[in-house]
Amino acid sequence: MEKLLEILEEVKPGVDFENETELVDSGILDSMTIIRLVTAISDEYDIEITPLDLVPENFNSAKAIYELIERLSD
Amino acid sequence: MNFYSYLYFLCFALATYVVYLIFPKKARWTVLLLSGTAFYLFENLQLAVFLFAAAVCTFFTGKVLTSLQERFNTEKKELPKDEKKKLKAYYTKQKKMVVLSAVLVNLGMLLVLKYTGFFTYMLAAFMRPFGFSAEVKPLSFALPLGISYYTLQSIGYIVDTYRGKYKAEKNFAKLALFLSFFPQMTEGPIGRYDHLMPQLTAGKGYSSERFTKAAVLILWGLFKKTVISDRASYMASTVFNDYPRYSGTLIAVAVILYTVQLYTDFSGCIDIMSGTARLFGVELSENFRQPFFSKTVSEFWRRWHISLGTWFKDYVFYPVSLSKPFGALTKICTKSMTKFWASIVPTASALLVVWLGTGLWHGADIKYVVYGLYYFLIMLIGMVTEPLWIKLSDKLKLDRKSGIAEGLRVFRTIILVCFGMALFRVDSVTDFGAIIGKIFAFQDLNDIVNGQLFALGTDWQDFIIIGLGILTLLIVGILKEGKKDVLGAVSTGRIYIKWPVLMALIIAVIILGAYGADYGEVDNIYAQF
């Protein structure tokens, strides 16, 4: 999780990723930022994220992103 | 559509509604299909063949894709992991070939009918330096109604079936209804199969609440179109059609009026269509969410023509960004650039594809390409300079989230969007350059007060009515931003709230609407795509 928070901070600095639960719904993460994030986490965790995974529910919080990573790593 | 076309349209919708209610619940969707077919055939009998061809192609593609997926699911059982992988690769390849062919057929019809003239013109221009000097007559075809909308719906359905988001529709007539539901034929919104189909086939009957909601939305849309948009259009048209005659000050006002016209025209039409769809228990997807409250241009495009933006995001931006060539590009960038640029360049490249597509979707002209590039450049500059602004405001101890800072960002976005609208309206990029030059010359500022302003088709009474109309929109918009849905509250409110508001809207449209012998007819801008 800590590594993920580091990546998030790098891609979009200045956001309270630990507590924010509406990252996509409130417009903090737009599609361009999501793609930059996906590229970074795909590399870091060696997972393949497809367009079907790119839905707000998977990116609204750091916890949701982490769960997506865990799901795809299985 | 002008005011009278809307009246015809609403009569058509009401007649359909009566027949729809007479039919048994399970068969009501057939009334919607037949009315859509009739609507289309009245428009143009010959061109209906293209919609039919698109429906046939889309239907069979979906069936083939689902059957390939099911065969894979059956064959993979009890296979070892390696074999499963090979089998998956084999079926993915097969499915990709099917999707590619179907997208080419659907897109091909749109490209040939809409863009042949543009492409031949561009080819001739490209060949000229190589000695090719033959006169090229631009080819143009009549466009089937709503082709730019239903083509995107078809492609969305095909790609979603390929991705396994849902199984293909088994009934051809139902798929045809999905592509030809008459309220969304002319200006969208671009619907998604999994969102629309359950609603289209639910056969919901009459309910007082649904009927009132529909009526409020339709009247609200008519208010936007006839009271605000059409009045704003007169001066905007006069100035844009002959801009060299007018001062930069008058052109600047015309640019603002055109922005008002386009927004109230397009969102008004969508409200009318959404209201009509609600009669049949169908909630079309949201197409506008107070776009002029956006703090950035990217945010504006998430609130303006939402169904087009999300379509490009889901079916162009995401797949392009996650494709193998872009993966390779990312790797090259990571090796040869700093971390910051390595994250920007691949995203920006995919964004360029999206904006070229969005620009061209709006029309077959070089100006629409420039229109797309205009927004691409603004977003690119925003991406590149974002860390700089954060650092600068931290150093100066400025609060980026203060009311003043956010207000200034909204103002900046409105200005940038107004210039985008001007580019959208002018006949050529050269005209756009000339218009910008005149505006920034800041000459004849007194044209606003010397009476010139009110002599160009939109007089002072019109300006007052437009102003009051915008104020109404602003109040409703501010409340909606605060999660208070005024239109929804009116629909579900008590009778002493509901009826006065409905009456006020009807009276506003009848008395303040720009129609009749004194007013020209103004067609919808987005229906021309």
Side-chain angles (χ1 to χ4, degrees):
Chain A
M1 189 68 171
E2 263 176 41
K3 185 68 207 168
L4 174 64
L5 288 172
E6 269 175 40
I7 295 173
L8 282 163
E9 179 61 26
E10 216 166 79
V11 172
K12 184 85 185 174
V15 178
D16 179 12
F17 284 109
E18 278 184 71
N19 298 309
E20 189 58 66
T21 55
E22 287 193 332
L23 289 170
V24 179
D25 294 340
S26 61
I28 297 169
L29 293 186
D30 59 14
S31 52
M32 292 176 278
T33 323
I34 288 176
I35 284 300
R36 287 160 64 195
L37 177 65
V38 163
T39 313
I41 54 181
S42 304
D43 265 7
E44 179 64 34
Y45 297 94
D46 194 24
I47 49 171
E48 193 190 342
I49 297 176
T50 68
L52 258 191
D53 302 313
L54 303 184
V55 288
E57 303 88 77
N58 286 338
F59 289 86
N60 258 334
S61 65
K63 191 173 166 259
I65 301 170
Y66 193 71
E67 282 168 4
L68 172 74
I69 295 168
E70 285 198 317
R71 215 164 43 242
L72 294 173
S73 305
D74 285 343
Chain B
M1 274 184 167
N2 54 52
F3 181 74
Y4 296 103
S5 317
Y6 275 122
L7 287 186
Y8 291 132
F9 173 80
L10 292 172
C11 289
F12 176 83
L14 277 175
T16 304
Y17 188 50
V18 172
V19 181
Y20 172 90
L21 291 178
I22 294 169
F23 266 59
K25 192 175 176 177
K26 275 193 170 173
R28 281 179 179 154
W29 66 271
T30 57
V31 178
L32 296 179
L33 175 66
L34 289 174
S35 61
T37 312
F39 187 76
Y40 213 87
L41 291 179
F42 281 139
E43 184 69 24
N44 195 316
L45 187 65
Q46 283 90 18
L47 295 179
V49 77
F50 290 103
L51 173 61
F52 184 72
V56 170
C57 169
T58 308
F59 176 70
F60 284 107
T61 305
K63 283 201 83 147
V64 170
L65 287 170
T66 297
S67 108
L68 283 170
Q69 184 60 43
E70 281 169 354
R71 270 166 57 189
F72 167 68
N73 290 344
T74 317
E75 288 174 28
K76 78 173 181 186
K77 281 177 192 163
E78 289 164 28
L79 277 181
K81 206 177 176 184
D82 277 1
E83 293 293 313
K84 240 183 228 176
K85 235 181 173 179
K86 273 185 199 162
L87 193 71
K88 190 180 177 185
Y90 169 77
Y91 274 106
T92 306
K93 200 176 171 190
Q94 297 272 313
K95 279 162 66 182
K96 269 187 184 163
M97 293 295 285
V98 174
V99 168
L100 198 67
S101 321
V103 169
L104 281 178
V105 170
N106 275 298
L107 209 57
M109 283 191 270
L110 178 67
L111 289 176
V112 169
L113 292 171
K114 192 169 171 178
Y115 300 98
T116 304
F118 173 68
F119 289 135
T120 44
Y121 172 80
M122 290 300 287
L123 190 67
F126 180 74
M127 296 293 279
R128 211 160 290 139
F130 302 102
F132 179 84
S133 58
E135 189 74 18
V136 177
K137 271 193 178 172
L139 278 171
S140 67
F141 300 103
L143 272 185
L145 178 71
I147 187 170
S148 301
Y149 296 97
Y150 74 66
T151 302
L152 297 197
Q153 281 198 188
S154 301
I155 293 173
Y157 169 82
I158 291 168
V159 174
D160 281 349
T161 321
Y162 162 77
R163 288 174 179 170
K165 194 178 177 190
Y166 41 73
K167 282 188 178 177
E169 174 57 59
K170 288 179 183 158
N171 185 332
F172 174 72
K174 285 185 180 173
L175 187 92
L177 169 61
F178 162 63
L179 295 180
S180 64
F181 181 45
F182 74 90
Q184 57 177 149
M185 288 297 281
T186 44
E187 295 197 31
I190 300 153
R192 303 290 175 96
Y193 172 82
D194 50 340
H195 172 246
L196 270 182
M197 190 46 77
Q199 301 189 74
L200 289 169
T201 49
K204 283 185 183 166
Y206 172 84
S207 90
S208 154
E209 191 185 321
R210 197 172 299 128
F211 192 85
T212 321
K213 267 189 181 168
V216 169
L217 259 180
I218 290 170
L219 284 168
W220 182 241
L222 278 174
F223 172 80
K224 282 182 184 171
K225 166 78 180 150
T226 62
V227 177
I228 309 173
S229 178
D230 289 358
R231 283 177 197 278
S233 74
Y234 302 124
M235 180 191 170
S237 296
T238 309
V239 174
F240 272 106
N241 289 343
D242 194 12
Y243 74 87
R245 280 183 59 193
Y246 303 103
S247 65
T249 308
L250 291 175
I251 291 173
V253 176
V255 169
I256 295 167
L257 278 186
Y258 181 69
T259 306
V260 170
Q261 180 201 345
L262 185 59
Y263 171 57
T264 44
D265 174 295
F266 191 16
S267 71
C269 174
I270 291 291
D271 288 342
I272 294 169
M273 299 310 169
S274 299
T276 310
R278 280 208 185 194
L279 280 178
F280 306 98
V282 178
E283 277 192 38
L284 299 179
S285 50
E286 192 182 24
N287 224 21
F288 293 93
R289 198 169 50 240
Q290 297 80 252
F292 291 95
F293 291 168
S294 309
K295 292 184 277 291
T296 63
V297 166
S298 309
E299 189 187 348
F300 176 84
W301 276 96
R302 287 198 300 275
R303 289 165 171 260
W304 170 278
H305 206 172
I306 298 169
S307 63
L308 181 72
T310 50
W311 191 93
F312 268 96
K313 183 183 78 182
D314 289 342
Y315 303 112
V316 180
F317 183 67
Y318 282 163
V320 166
S321 302
L322 299 178
S323 66
K324 277 183 186 159
F326 270 75
L329 176 69
T330 308
K331 276 185 187 147
I332 293 169
C333 293
T334 313
K335 276 183 192 164
S336 57
M337 294 173 183
T338 62
K339 235 177 184 179
F340 174 73
W341 287 106
S343 78
I344 296 272
V345 173
T347 314
S349 312
L351 205 60
L352 178 64
V353 177
V354 168
W355 280 103
L356 284 176
T358 307
L360 272 174
W361 179 88
H362 283 87
D365 195 300
I366 196 79
K367 93 168 176 187
Y368 292 111
V369 177
V370 178
Y371 174 72
L373 290 176
Y374 171 79
Y375 281 111
F376 165 72
L377 271 178
I378 292 175
M379 287 183 193
L380 184 65
I381 292 168
M383 265 162 71
V384 172
T385 56
E386 191 187 8
L388 204 73
W389 290 116
I390 294 174
K391 263 186 197 167
L392 192 71
S393 52
D394 284 348
K395 238 181 189 177
L396 298 171
K397 291 189 176 142
L398 295 173
D399 181 6
R400 276 177 279 124
K401 287 185 177 162
S402 72
I404 297 173
E406 297 210 329
L408 284 172
R409 291 171 77 200
V410 169
F411 181 70
R412 177 196 61 186
T413 306
I414 292 175
I415 299 288
L416 290 170
V417 167
C418 281
F419 284 122
M421 296 295 184
L423 179 55
F424 188 75
R425 175 62 178 80
V426 290
D427 291 332
S428 68
V429 181
T430 323
D431 286 352
F432 179 65
I435 277 175
I436 296 296
K438 282 193 127 189
I439 291 175
F440 284 102
F442 297 111
Q443 282 171 347
D444 301 317
L445 289 172
N446 60 343
D447 275 355
I448 289 183
V449 287
N450 65 10
Q452 278 257 21
L453 181 65
F454 303 128
L456 300 168
T458 303
D459 60 25
W460 67 270
Q461 290 101 324
D462 290 326
F463 269 96
I464 290 175
I465 293 169
I466 292 168
L468 290 173
I470 292 173
L471 188 66
T472 315
L473 254 59
L474 191 67
I475 294 168
V476 172
I478 289 170
L479 288 169
K480 208 168 175 196
E481 283 291 287
K483 312 265 182 230
K484 285 180 185 131
D485 180 12
V486 179
L487 299 182
V490 169
S491 314
T492 51
R494 291 185 183 273
I495 206 151
Y496 55 83
I497 298 174
K498 198 185 318 186
W499 286 106
V501 176
L502 276 173
M503 285 300 140
L505 276 172
I506 292 171
I507 290 166
V509 170
I510 291 172
I511 296 179
L512 303 177
Y515 59 91
D518 294 339
Y519 296 95
E521 291 178 354
V522 187
D523 283 332
N524 284 111
I525 298 162
Y526 263 76
Q528 293 155 18
F529 305 132

